[in-house]
Amino acid sequence: MPRPERPLDRDAGVVEQFAAELRELRVKAGNPGYRQLARRTHFSLTTLAEAAGGRRLPTLAVALAYVEACGGDREAWQARWLAAQAQLNGRGGVEDATSEPAIPAPYRGLAAYQPEDSAWFFGRSALVDDLLVRLRGRRFVAVFGASGSGKSSVLRAGVVAAARCGVLTGGTVCPVVVMTPTASPCRELAGHLASLTAWAATIRDDLAAPLDDLVPVVRRVLDGAPARAELLLVIDQFEELFTLCPDDERREFLALLLAGVRTPRCRLRVVVAVRADFYANCAEHPDLAAALTDAQVVVPAMAAAELREAVTRPAQRVGVTVDGALVATVVAEASGRIGALPLLSHALLEAWEHRRGRTLTLAAYTVTGGLAGAVTQTAERVYAELSASERELTRQILLRMVDVGADGQVTLRRVALDEIGDPQPDLAVVLNRLADARLILRHDGTVEIAHEALVRAWPRLRAWIDEDREGLRIHRQLTEASTSWEATGRDSGGLYRGVRLSQAVKWIDGNLDRLARRERRFLDASTSAVAAEVAARRRRRRLGVAGTAAISVVVAILAAVVVVQARRAQTERDAAIAGQLAANARAQLSIDPASALSLATQAYERQPNPDTESVLRQAVAEHRVRASTGGSHYLHMSVGGFTPDGSGLLITPVAADGDERPKTSIWTWASSDAPRPWSANPFTTRLAFSADGTSGVYGSGALYGTDGSIVEVSLAVGDTNAVVTATTGRVLAVTYGPAGPLALTEDNERDLWLREVRRPGRKIFLSGHRDRVRSAGMSADGRRVASVGEDGVRLW
C-alpha cells in the first residue's frame, strides 16, 4: 500500500494551504493514484506527489498539469498559483526579469559555455590547467566524461579561450578550429580550415580537392604566423564518428588526424571530447587506442567547493548576491551527481528570471522547479502555450535533432533549417519559442537541442523517442542518404532499392508529413527508378519470351522435318529387313516349321504388308502339324491323355491289324522334334500322372492271356526304369494319393483291393458286392472309392 500523505496545516502558510487545496481537488476527482496522474501529465509521480506535499510551492507547469489531470479549472488555478507566488515574494506579483535590463544573465542554461563566455565560467580552473599542461607535452589529448559533466564547456570556455589568449604557447596567439564530426568529418574539417583566411588567403585552393593530408594544409594555415604558433584542433562530440559516420569515412578521418599529429615538425595539436560510454568504440581502433595511451583526461563530477564557485561567482560579477540557503540547496542536490551541470545551469537561469532585486533567493529557485524540475517545467510550459499544429511541429523538429544508434543509444545532431521544412509561420513560431526558452540553439542556418540533459529530463520527449526508435533510425538513414544523393549530383547509384526502399516506404505510411522536400525527392526518384527497372525487365522478359517462342517454332519445324525423314528412313529400313526375314521364313518352311513361324512373325511385326502376311499364314499352317508318325497299325488307336506339363502323350490301341498283342506307348518330344515312343507296354486304359508331372502310373488288364499289372514309370526322356506290381485281376482305377500312386483292382469279380503301388504288401480289402463289379473309380486324393456292380453302387 502507498504511504499516507503527511497531514497539512492550512494556517502554516501559503505553501501548505495551496497543497491542501490540491489534495481536495484530487479527492473530488475520485482520488486517483499518483502513478495514474503521471500517465496523464507526462510528469513523474514523485514530482506530482511533491506538488501536494506542502514543503515547497510547485512550479506553475506542474501545478496546472496536476489540476488538469484531476479535472480542475485551469484558469482559476493559474490565478490561485500566481497569488500564492506573490505572497511568497512579498509583493503583488512575480518580478519580471526585465526590471533591471542592464544586468546580463550570468548563467547559460542548457547550452555549453563558449569561448566568449569564459568570463562567466567558474569551478573548473584546476581541470583546465591540467588539460593545458597535457597539451603542451602531447599533440593528442582525449577528454572523457559522462553526458552533462561539462566536457564541452571545459574545452570551449577553458582550453580554447586560453589558446586564443596565448596561454598554450607561452604568449603566442594560436589559430583554433572548433568542430563536431557530423556525418562527413573530412568535409567538415576542410570547411573549417578554409575559413582561416587570416593566416592563409590561398587555403581555399588547397581544399578544392579532397582532403587527404593535413600536413601541407596546416603549413599553409600557419604561413606567416609567428614561429611558435600552432594550430589547435578541438573536436567536440567525438562520438559522432561512431553514430553518424559510415565506416569507411570514419577510418579515413582517423587516419588523416593521427597522421597529422605524428608527423614531425607538423605544428598541429588535437584535443577531443568523447562521451564516456563510447570509450569501448575508441578502443576498437588500434591506432586510436595507441594514441590514447597516457593521453586521457576524465572529467569528474564537480566537488562542493567547485559547485559553490560555479553558483556564486557569475552572480557576483554582475553585483547580485546568492542566498546562502540557495547555495546550500544546490550543493546538496548536485554534489557528486554525474550529468547534473546542465540541469543546474538551467535551474539557475530560470531562478535568475524570478530573482528579487539583486538577490538570488531559494524561493526563486524553488518556483522554477529546482534541479529536478526546471527543465521539465520550462519544456512543458512552452509546449502548453503552443497550438495543436505547433505542438505536432515541435515533436517533428525535436525528433529530427536526435539519432538512435543500432545499440539504442540516443545522441544529438545538428539539423539544417532546410532539412526541417519550408519556411512557414508555424515553423518560425516554434523555433523562436524553443530558442527563447533555451531548449534549442540556433546557429547560421542550423539548429540543435541545447543539451542531452533535455532528453533525460523531459518525459514527453523521452516518450516520443521510445514510441518509434526503429522509425527514427530509418528516418535518419533516409536523411543521410538523401543528403549524399544531393551532394553527388543526384547520382542514381545512391538511390534506395530492395529492402531499404521497402522499409522506408513502410515507415512513411503515416509519417509522410515528417519528410523534408529533399527526402521526398529522394524517395520519389528511388521509386521511379525501381519502377523503370521493373518495366525494363518486363520488356526484356517479353522480348525474351517472343524470341524464345520464335526459336521454338523454328526448332519445332526442323524437328518435324527430321522426324519425318527419320520415320521415312526407318520405314524403308524396316521394309528391307522384313523382306529378308520373309525370304528366310519361306526357306525354313519345309525344314523347320517352328523357325519359319518365328521368322515370319518378326517380319510381319516389323512391316505388316501382303508379302509378310502371306508368309506368316503359311508358317502357321505348317506349324500346326508339330508331330506325326507313320504305320498303318496306329490307325485304330486313341489318345489316352497328355502329361500334366503337356510334354507327353499316351496312345492306346483299340485294335491292331495283324498283331495279336497290341502295345500302349507314351510319346515325348522336344519343340522341334517329332514324337518318339518312350516304351512299349501291355494294353491298358487306366492312366494317372503325378501332380509335378515327373512320373505316371497305369494298369493293364488280363487280356490276351496275360496277367494284370500296375506300372509306375518316370517320364524323363530315355528313362526305362519302372516299378511293376503284378496282379491277377483287372486294374479298375489308378491315382496319386498323399503317399504315392494307388491302384484299385478286382478279385473274383466281386471283391476289390486298394493297393500302394510302391509297396505291394500294403493293401486294403474292400468286400461287399454280391454280383460282378463292372467298373470302379477313386477320388484324386485316394480317400474315397466308388464301385458299380450288377447289384448296385457302393461308396467306400
Side-chain angles (χ1 to χ4, degrees):
M1 294 179 59
R3 292 183 303 175
E5 296 179 305
R6 73 180 183 89
L8 297 175
D9 182 6
R10 288 178 174 269
D11 298 329
V14 64
V15 173
E16 291 207 359
Q17 181 180 357
F18 189 85
E21 292 172 351
L22 284 177
R23 291 185 184 182
E24 291 176 358
L25 177 64
R26 176 167 164 253
V27 171
K28 292 179 180 179
N31 205 24
Y34 283 111
R35 191 176 301 278
Q36 185 178 357
L37 294 181
R39 287 195 295 268
R40 298 177 184 176
T41 62
H42 294 286
F43 283 98
S44 68
L45 59 89
T46 302
T47 300
L48 295 172
E50 289 179 352
R55 289 187 172 87
R56 65 178 65 178
L57 185 68
T59 64
L60 178 60
V62 172
L64 293 180
Y66 191 109
V67 169
E68 288 184 352
C70 295
D73 186 342
R74 178 186 176 91
E75 294 183 359
W77 277 92
Q78 183 173 355
R80 189 176 301 179
W81 183 90
L82 290 174
Q85 177 65 31
Q87 292 182 39
L88 285 176
N89 291 336
R91 47 191 164 81
V94 179
E95 183 179 348
D96 197 328
T98 60
S99 59
E100 292 189 67
I103 303 179
Y107 307 105
R108 292 296 173 261
L110 293 175
Y113 283 78
Q114 300 300 320
E116 55 271 19
D117 300 322
S118 59
W120 312 100
F121 183 63
F122 294 96
R124 289 297 197 183
S125 56
L127 180 60
V128 172
D129 292 341
D130 182 31
L131 273 171
L132 292 173
V133 170
R134 286 181 177 268
L135 272 173
R136 292 188 188 103
R138 301 186 64 89
R139 295 193 172 275
F140 185 89
V141 176
V143 178
F144 288 93
S147 175
S149 61
K151 302 183 300 298
S152 299
S153 298
V154 168
L155 289 184
R156 295 169 184 263
V159 175
V160 172
R164 288 179 177 175
C165 295
V167 176
L168 182 61
T169 53
T172 302
V173 176
C174 296
V176 181
V177 170
V178 181
M179 61 168 288
T180 57
T182 71
S184 302
C186 293
R187 186 182 306 155
E188 185 75 8
L189 177 58
H192 281 281
L193 291 175
S195 66
L196 298 178
T197 55
W199 282 269
T202 60
I203 191 67
R204 296 181 185 277
D205 298 333
D206 292 338
L207 296 178
L211 185 62
D212 56 5
D213 190 357
L214 275 179
V215 176
V217 177
V218 172
R219 290 174 181 170
R220 297 294 297 275
V221 167
L222 298 177
D223 187 21
R228 298 184 63 182
E230 293 190 346
L231 174 63
L232 176 63
L233 175 59
V234 178
I235 305 177
D236 197 5
Q237 300 177 33
F238 194 72
E239 61 272 8
E240 288 184 357
L241 279 179
F242 310 105
T243 60
L244 301 181
C245 288
D247 293 342
D248 53 351
E249 189 151 2
R250 181 193 311 117
R251 288 191 293 267
E252 180 184 352
F253 181 73
L254 288 175
L256 182 72
L257 200 65
L258 297 175
V261 297
R262 290 172 179 171
T263 301
R265 297 184 298 279
C266 180
R267 294 183 290 171
L268 173 67
R269 295 184 188 272
V270 178
V271 58
V272 301
V274 193
R275 231 169 66 184
D277 50 342
F278 283 87
Y279 187 89
N281 298 84
C282 296
E284 291 176 355
H285 295 264
D287 292 340
L288 179 58
L292 290 174
T293 304
D294 298 330
Q296 306 173 30
V297 177
V298 177
V299 179
M302 294 183 77
E306 292 175 326
L307 282 171
R308 282 192 291 269
E309 183 179 357
V311 173
T312 61
R313 291 287 299 277
Q316 291 173 2
R317 282 185 60 88
V318 295
V320 174
T321 302
V322 181
D323 187 8
L326 171 58
V327 175
T329 301
V330 167
V331 171
E333 290 181 344
S335 181
R337 182 174 173 182
I338 299 297
L341 293 183
L343 301 177
L344 174 60
S345 182
H346 181 80
L348 291 173
L349 182 59
E350 290 294 307
W352 178 266
E353 302 293 337
H354 295 80
R355 71 189 183 279
R356 295 178 59 183
R358 288 188 172 271
T359 302
L360 192 59
T361 64
L362 177 60
Y365 178 79
T366 303
V367 166
T368 63
L371 185 67
V375 173
T376 304
Q377 175 178 324
T378 301
E380 283 295 324
R381 184 184 69 245
V382 173
Y383 187 77
E385 293 171 352
L386 299 174
S387 65
S389 60
E390 292 170 344
R391 290 179 181 181
E392 177 59 26
L393 188 56
T394 299
R395 175 176 174 270
Q396 296 179 15
I397 292 173
L398 293 178
L399 288 180
R400 274 193 175 272
M401 298 180 188
V402 299
D403 187 21
V404 180
D407 55 356
Q409 296 187 22
V410 178
T411 55
L412 305 185
R413 59 188 297 266
R414 185 176 296 182
V415 179
L417 290 176
D418 60 353
E419 180 184 323
I420 296 177
D422 299 331
Q424 51 179 306
D426 285 350
L427 178 60
V429 169
V430 169
L431 292 177
N432 289 335
R433 292 283 183 87
L434 295 175
D436 291 343
R438 302 177 184 86
L439 299 176
I440 65 171
L441 300 177
R442 304 184 69 168
H443 305 282
D444 294 336
T446 62
V447 291
E448 61 180 328
I449 291 177
H451 199 277
E452 291 173 345
L454 180 63
V455 178
R456 300 194 304 271
W458 192 13
R460 189 184 298 274
L461 179 55
R462 288 203 312 273
W464 288 341
I465 295 173
D466 293 338
E467 282 175 4
D468 190 16
R469 285 178 171 261
E470 184 62 26
L472 285 176
R473 292 185 63 239
I474 294 174
H475 195 185
R476 292 294 80 77
Q477 293 171 357
L478 174 61
T479 302
E480 294 169 9
S482 62
T483 303
S484 177
W485 178 64
E486 294 279 359
T488 56
R490 301 185 180 182
D491 181 16
S492 60
L495 295 174
Y496 270 1
R497 291 173 175 81
V499 176
R500 299 193 71 179
L501 179 59
S502 62
Q503 286 179 342
V505 171
K506 183 178 180 180
W507 175 79
I508 287 170
D509 186 17
N511 297 284
L512 186 61
D513 55 341
R514 294 171 59 178
L515 295 182
R517 285 192 303 172
R518 180 176 60 205
E519 296 165 350
R520 294 186 183 185
R521 288 196 301 268
F522 176 78
L523 281 179
D524 290 342
S526 296
T527 53
S528 298
V530 170
E533 292 172 359
V534 171
R537 284 197 298 269
R538 288 176 178 173
R539 287 195 299 271
R540 289 194 298 269
R541 189 181 297 114
R542 286 196 296 268
L543 291 175
V545 170
T548 303
I551 295 173
S552 300
V553 171
V554 173
V555 170
I557 294 174
L558 294 177
V561 172
V562 171
V563 169
V564 170
Q565 292 178 347
R567 287 181 177 175
R568 183 179 300 170
Q570 182 67 34
T571 301
E572 294 175 354
R573 183 166 56 253
D574 289 345
I577 295 174
Q580 183 63 41
L581 290 172
N584 294 339
R586 287 193 184 94
Q588 292 291 327
L589 283 176
S590 59
I591 302 172
D592 188 351
S595 297
L597 178 61
S598 176
L599 293 172
T601 301
Q602 295 178 42
Y604 185 79
E605 289 176 349
R606 184 173 289 273
Q607 187 69 273
N609 55 40
D611 184 39
T612 56
E613 183 180 358
S614 173
V615 173
L616 179 60
R617 290 180 180 277
Q618 295 178 21
V620 169
E622 291 292 334
H623 191 265
R624 284 175 177 171
V625 183
R626 292 296 308 274
S628 62
T629 182
S632 60
H633 62 281
Y634 289 107
L635 296 177
H636 303 286
M637 293 183 179
S638 64
V639 177
F642 282 95
T643 59
D645 61 356
S647 62
L649 178 66
L650 177 69
I651 300 177
T652 302
V654 177
D657 294 339
D659 191 346
E660 294 180 357
R661 297 177 61 88
K663 307 287 184 170
T664 296
S665 300
I666 294 179
W667 297 76
T668 61
W669 58 86
S671 59
S672 59
D673 296 334
R676 63 178 182 272
W678 181 84
S679 62
N681 296 281
F683 168 74
T684 183
T685 58
R686 311 303 176 202
L687 175 66
F689 294 101
S690 64
D692 57 7
T694 60
S695 62
V697 61
Y698 59 87
S700 63
L703 299 177
Y704 304 103
T706 63
D707 295 331
S709 62
I710 307 163
V711 182
E712 182 186 13
V713 296
S714 171
L715 297 184
V717 176
D719 189 350
T720 58
N721 295 324
V723 177
V724 179
T725 301
T727 179
T728 57
R730 290 181 301 158
V731 179
L732 298 177
V734 292
T735 188
Y736 272 85
L742 301 174
L744 187 65
T745 62
E746 62 134 355
D747 190 15
N748 59 40
E749 296 184 349
R750 292 189 303 275
D751 299 325
L752 304 176
W753 291 94
L754 182 62
R755 305 171 181 270
E756 286 192 18
V757 176
R758 296 173 183 170
R759 290 184 291 182
R762 290 179 62 86
K763 57 184 179 180
I764 299 175
F765 181 62
L766 303 176
S767 176
H769 280 287
R770 294 185 299 275
D771 291 320
R772 183 178 179 182
V773 175
R774 295 291 186 180
S775 62
M778 289 186 297
S779 63
D781 57 3
R783 294 181 179 277
R784 292 179 178 82
V785 174
S787 58
V788 180
E790 292 180 356
D791 59 347
V793 179
R794 288 182 177 271
L795 182 63
W796 312 82

